[in-house]
Amino acid sequence: MRIAVVMIVLLGIVGAAEREVAGQDEDLFVFRRICNIEPGQEVAAAAIARAMDDLVARKYPFAEMSVRIGRWMTGFQSLEQPTDQIMFSERHPDPDMRQDFADILLADDEFGALQLDMLGVVDLTRCTETRFRERP
């Protein structure tokens, strides 16, 4: 009797998992880029992060983009010598919308000026990018 109950419970869990996978297509597409901050440039990087957040909130209130300073584990992050990093994070309904938003930002002169400000502040040669579907 116990074996039959366990099998019914397990079948119920498998059925729930299958329904969850089917709904995953509706999750948001997330794009993240993490770059190391050059030594001694933490204050400048924090100012750039605030300016980018402010620009996007002011000019593109529909966008889900944030810029944060912190430390994340990437291929370029060492536990022995931790490095401060800057993370650019965006959320979109699909990858095409992410590209559309990137095109809008690249055409924005104010955003372009902030990207130029990053030269010498952020090591742009050692950035890592991640793309994934966000789960609720």
Side-chain angles (χ1 to χ4, degrees), residues 5-6 9 65 96 109-110 113 117 122 129:
V5 172
V6 170
V9 170
M65 178 182 167
D96 292 335
D109 291 337
E110 193 175 348
D117 289 345
V122 176
E129 292 185 2

Side-chain angles (χ1 to χ4, degrees), residues 30-105:
V30 178
F31 170 81
R32 289 194 178 137
R33 175 177 288 145
I34 299 173
C35 305
N36 289 349
I37 297 170
E38 295 288 0
Q41 296 296 322
E42 294 80 7
V43 172
I48 291 170
R50 282 190 305 277
M52 282 191 175
D53 273 344
D54 292 345
L55 178 136
V56 171
R58 180 173 34 85
K59 292 177 102 173
Y60 310 104
F62 61 87
E64 291 190 54
M65 178 182 167
S66 64
V67 184
R68 300 286 176 259
I69 303 297
R71 291 182 178 168
W72 296 271
M73 287 308 301
T74 67
F76 298 115
Q77 185 73 354
S78 168
L79 290 174
E80 296 169 352
Q81 296 177 324
T83 304
D84 290 324
Q85 297 168 310
I86 188 167
M87 178 175 65
F88 307 89
S89 183
E90 301 173 31
R91 296 170 65 209
H92 303 280
D94 59 59
D96 292 335
M97 293 290 290
R98 191 258 177 229
Q99 185 58 52
D100 292 344
F101 184 61
D103 293 342
I104 290 168
L105 287 178

